[in-house]
């Protein structure tokens, strides 16, 4: 998985990769096919005019070379794998399903020929082997999956030439090919709060990022819209919904931004009956999904049309950002927060060199704290006492008292790893926290930071212990540091709201690993709609900090410079804001395109609102 951190560099090096492929005989200039216009100013990496093409089978090629060349052809930029299918026997051409699954191996698969049978000179078997690191299913969802890979490919002679007649469905790619061909793209769906949907805090317009992997040079805009219309991935399907009526499909084959960077999308008849408000919500999903694919160009407008080209509704960039921007509350904060050496909760702007105490009781230093969380509205502080036993909540206003403990831990005050975790606010204004003791953990939610704590079931936790939590702004996903037998891993859970409106029952379902290659995770923080910054180390390795996607794949964001002895890290869901960390040098900050700078030699628990 370490190799994935070079994804951006791999994409930038695609010209060299294509040249190497040509020299190796695994690619060629096409000499047939449709004529297509070349855009003189490509709008994004995904629309680069560089293309890789496979080489047709050579007469008399032996079985191993046929398999090797077939694998090369599957890495081409042909939408229909036209060249790759030339290596298949007639029966296999009818049955092979290349998009059923994509198996990603650490290196390109190695063909291992099997000794041919003396009784049958027209039959041959080649085994593909390697070390699998992930799989992408037919809904484009990525799943880390480290295991040995071994599959057999059978060949027969057809018209005197070796051809493949039996092979597994799907593709098998080396990691470098996967990084060149595919790109992680966020589809967007609306959060579904179910039993709590009627509460005023539960907006109908909260968009949740659903990352998928798409082929980045095969009609990128069209493929991202088609993937959006196919619905959420299985993991998010229970807690999100789409504004598109069931069965809605594209009524136009090729989508592209026009000269004004507007996108006009023709939809099938199912979309025609949508109300104006529903149509705007559909346009918002399209806007942010396509914007994620065409990151190099800002979309000015999305217009939805019926099959005849008549306008249904339009959504401008200004309207999209104002009414539907994912994690809107995280984009307004101008400050970072931490606890200084005098036990005061202090705030700093990005450009400030000196912190200032927050207003209210937590800015006085009279209550020593272990950890804090600032509400997303930046008007309330939740703090855990220095012994980890008590949770306090107070407003950021002058002249108010702290008040009594809102929650008391069941854990022992003598154990520094027991007691209450750092609290976390979601975008609905609710406070989340976990209580840890030697016998396990309990996850709790406190409505609006002032009601009685409610137990949240975590059925996949088992006997493992929660070490830390960080809930996403949407309240739909929660990152959990889980300790098991001395190993701490980062897991992502899905928050489901069952029960009734009067008595909702919350649970965290289907915990799944986010950074499976890290053996010991120290800290994590949300850093975007589908991205977290994670601090940890691999087995036998040193501590490192990196971005990870919520599907468990390594982000293609910039490589982070090292910093010593990180104990905590905080990121804003606004990607333009700097990282802050509690490190050996004190509280340090990493501005965009710069290096770490110390902002306070003494301090702990750096946080952004949330």
């Amino acid at each position: 998985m370490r190799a994935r951190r070079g994804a951006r560099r791999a994409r930038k090096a695609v010209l060299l990769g294509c040249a190497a492929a040509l020299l190796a005989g695994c690619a060629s200039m096409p000499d047939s096919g449709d004529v297509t216009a070349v855009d003189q100013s490509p709008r994004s990496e995904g629309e680069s005019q560089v293309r890789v093409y496979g080489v047709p089978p050579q007469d008399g090629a032996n079985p191993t070379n046929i398999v090797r060349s077939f694998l090369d052809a599957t890495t081409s930029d042909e939408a229909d794998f036209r060249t790759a299918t030339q290596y298949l026997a007639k029966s296999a051409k009818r049955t092979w399903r290349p998009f059923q699954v994509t198996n990603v191996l650490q290196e390109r698969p190695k063909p291992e020929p099997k000794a041919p049978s003396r009784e049958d000179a027209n039959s041959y078997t080649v085994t593909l082997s390697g070390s699998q690191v992930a799989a992408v299913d037919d809904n484009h969802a990525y799943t880390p999956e480290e295991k040995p890979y071994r599959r057999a490919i059978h060949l027969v002679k057809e018209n005197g030439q070796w051809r493949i007649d039996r092979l597994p469905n799907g593709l098998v790619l080396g990691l470098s090919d996967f990084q060149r061909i595919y790109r992680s793209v966020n589809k967007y769906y609306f959060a579904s709060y179910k039993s709590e949907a009627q509460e005023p805090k539960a907006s109908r317009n909260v968009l949740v990022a659903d990352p998928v992997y798409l082929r980045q040079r095969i009609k990128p805009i069209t493929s991202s819209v088609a993937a959006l219309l196919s619905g959420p991935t299985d993991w998010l399907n229970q807690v999100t919904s789409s504004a598109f009526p069931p069965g809605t499909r594209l009524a136009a084959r090729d989508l592209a931004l026009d000269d004004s960077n507007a996108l006009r999308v023709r939809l099938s008849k199912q979309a025609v009956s949508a109300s104006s408000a529903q149509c705007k919500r559909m346009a918002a999903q399209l806007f942010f999904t396509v914007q994620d694919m065409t990151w190099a160009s800002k979309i000015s407008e999305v217009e939805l049309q019926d099959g005849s080209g008549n306008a249904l509704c339009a959504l401008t960039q200004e309207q999209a950002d104002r009414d539907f921007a994912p994690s809107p509350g995280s984009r307004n904060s101008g400050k970072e927060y931490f606890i200084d050496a005098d036990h005061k909760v202090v705030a700093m702007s990005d450009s400030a060199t000196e912190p200032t105490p927050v207003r209210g009781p937590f800015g006085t230093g009279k209550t020593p704290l272990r950890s804090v969380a600032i509400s997303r509205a930046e008007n309330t502080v939740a703090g855990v006492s220095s012994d980890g036993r008590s949770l306090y909540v107070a407003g950021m206003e002058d002249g108010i008292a702290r008040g009594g403990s809102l929650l008391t831990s069941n854990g022992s005050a003598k154990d520094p790893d027991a007691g209450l975790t750092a609290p976390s606010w979601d975008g609905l204004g609710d406070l989340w926290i976990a209580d840890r003791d030697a016998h396990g953990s309990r996850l709790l939610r406190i409505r609006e930071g002032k009601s009685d704590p409610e137990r949240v079931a975590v059925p996949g936790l088992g006997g493992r212990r929660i070490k830390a939590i960080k809930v996403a702004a949407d309240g739909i996903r929660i990152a959990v540091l889980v300790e098991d037998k001395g190993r701490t891993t980062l897991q992502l859970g899905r928050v489901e709201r069952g029960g009734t409106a009067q008595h909702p029952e919350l649970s965290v379902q289907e915990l799944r690993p986010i950074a499976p290659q890290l053996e010991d995770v120290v800290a994590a923080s949300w850093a975007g709609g589908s991205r977290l910054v994670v601090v940890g180390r691999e087995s036998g390795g040193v501590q490192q900090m990196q971005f990870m996607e919520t599907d468990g794949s390594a982000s293609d964001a910039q490589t982070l410079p090292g910093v010593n002895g990180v104990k905590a890290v905080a990121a804003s869901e606004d990607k333009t804001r700097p990282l802050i960390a509690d490190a050996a040098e004190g509280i340090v900050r990493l501005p965009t395109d710069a290096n770490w700078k110390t902002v306070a030699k003494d301090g702990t628990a750096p946080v952004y609102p949330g």
Side-chain angles (χ1 to χ4, degrees), residues 318 420 430 517:
E318 180 182 358
L420 301 173
D430 293 336
Q517 78 279 16

Coordinates of all heavy atoms in Angstrom, one line a residue, residues 318 420 430 517:
E318 N -22.9 29.5 -7.4 CA -23.2 30.3 -6.2 C -24.4 29.6 -5.4 O -24.3 29.5 -4.2 CB -23.6 31.7 -6.6 CG -24.0 32.6 -5.4 CD -24.4 34.0 -5.8 OE1 -24.4 34.3 -7.0 OE2 -24.7 34.7 -4.9
L420 N -12.9 9.0 29.9 CA -13.6 9.5 28.7 C -12.6 9.9 27.6 O -11.5 10.4 27.8 CB -14.4 10.8 29.1 CG -15.4 10.6 30.2 CD1 -16.0 11.9 30.6 CD2 -16.5 9.6 29.8
D430 N -25.1 17.8 18.0 CA -25.0 16.8 19.0 C -23.6 16.5 19.4 O -22.7 16.5 18.5 CB -25.8 15.5 18.6 CG -27.3 15.7 18.4 OD1 -27.8 16.7 19.0 OD2 -27.9 15.0 17.6
Q517 N -2.9 -0.9 6.6 CA -1.5 -1.2 6.6 C -0.8 -0.7 7.9 O 0.4 -1.0 8.2 CB -0.8 -0.6 5.4 CG -0.6 0.9 5.5 CD -1.8 1.7 5.2 OE1 -2.9 1.2 5.2 NE2 -1.6 3.0 4.9

